[in-house]
Amino acid sequence: MHERGSAKSSDSGIPAAYTFFAQFVDHDITLDTTSQLNSTQVQDAASLPNLRSPNLDLDCVYAFGPEASPYLYDGTGRLLVGNAQNPNDVARVVTGEMSGNVEIGRALIGDPRNDENLFVSQLQFAFHLFHNRLMDNGNRRFEEVQRQARFHYQYIVLHDFLRRVCDPSVYRFAIERLYRREPPLFYSRDENGDLPMPVEFSVAAYRFGHSLVRSAYKPNTKQKTIGLFDEQFGTLGFSAVPEKLTVEWKFLFEKGTTNRSRKIDELLTDELLHLPGPVVEDPDELNHSLPFRNLVRGRSLGLPSGQDVARQIADTDYPVESIDLKLESVHGWKGLPPAIREEIRETTPLFFYILRESNVVHKGAHLGPVGSAILMEVFSGVLSLCTDSFLSERGWSPSEEVVGTDHRLTLADVLRYVGRY
């Protein structure tokens, strides 16, 4: 599942900013600290707690609010930003530890995972600024500002991010059902009345974002491309952002730059096969390979095959069918033992199925129908069933101060609004 020889992925039409927005959203809605990566027995996925709310409520930004998480706030309801090394970074506690020439400085944020690389950390910073500017401009109570920030964020997930990455037919089908107030087709509250996070989503479908990652990016006007994880540039993660690497987000949006996401396919960049120690603390080098971790985790949690999931979704009204993945054209396929080839052909691991489906159906431009249906069902299900989404307030629309000139709110609009574009 990595690039080798002539087996190389190429760029998609998706701006690179959405690679890290996808990661930011993931950290907002999922956190599993209890499953075992290399378990010899199949674990009961239903019993694993999700330590994040799936409600798209920005708890990775707000944590438990000013009263229960006061260390994130300035005493007036504004989120802390900036530090002695860089005013355009998240707030940090000085630790005295160093990573290369960069002081580590523990980030004061709602989810420490949002400091694991330069770009997701800078996106976290941008959402702190978004909250603060809404508060400065509107003079509203904390709770109302938080609510408006959440609504704008939810709107971007549904109408900007998912529109870009999902199969157009599946996206249109799910959006039309959502706005007709029709119930989800297979997503529902669990037996306790809570909104669940299906492992088919969290352990397979949503991990499509790993295929978007490229090895190097251009962060701003002055810097040339830098490695995503590179000690030389101070981008190993979990450390203060050097001022010279402050991200100008326009470079991760504009056409004609090198900062496009990679295509959604089964060929992941080499950078993800060798995750650095600060990201994965494991002496086994094999466990530093992200695609390996995804496949092993899926197996240990007993995920159904891609073919089984495709058949189940096809039994609903979603425009989905099981397809021929054309595995014989996958690099290295002929080198596998015949028994392994037959097993994969009949019961393809769901994570691999979703990436390969995207390649076969859309040449990597979008997710395929199965991956798209899982994403749309979960996200639209959460937004329709939770009590605090923009869909629950009839007539709500994004602020005219934030929305772009085309009257369609996007992630870029929020970044412009806070002066980070």
Side-chain angles (χ1 to χ4, degrees), residues 1 295 299 305-308 323-328 330 332-333 335-350 352-353 356:
M1 292 191 66
L295 292 168
R299 192 176 189 89
S305 70
Q307 288 83 357
D308 284 343
I323 66 164
D324 177 6
L325 295 178
K326 301 179 180 178
L327 295 172
E328 62 279 356
V330 171
W333 175 256
L336 294 174
I340 297 295
R341 290 205 302 265
E342 186 61 23
E343 179 182 355
I344 295 175
R345 190 185 300 279
E346 296 299 321
T347 57
T348 308
L350 183 57
F352 184 83
Y353 183 102
R356 183 62 184 168

Side-chain angles (χ1 to χ4, degrees), residues 36-94:
Q36 299 177 26
L37 181 63
N38 293 304
S39 174
T40 57
Q41 295 181 331
V42 175
Q43 301 168 80
D44 179 13
S47 68
L48 298 176
N50 176 22
L51 301 182
R52 280 281 175 262
S53 160
N55 294 7
L56 290 169
D57 57 8
L58 286 176
D59 62 353
C60 67
V61 170
Y62 293 111
F64 297 105
E67 292 188 6
S69 303
Y71 53 89
L72 300 181
Y73 298 86
D74 69 355
T76 70
R78 290 163 177 80
L79 287 154
L80 294 175
V81 294
N83 56 68
Q85 292 195 45
N86 186 356
N88 294 312
D89 185 15
V90 297
R92 295 181 184 273
V93 173
V94 176

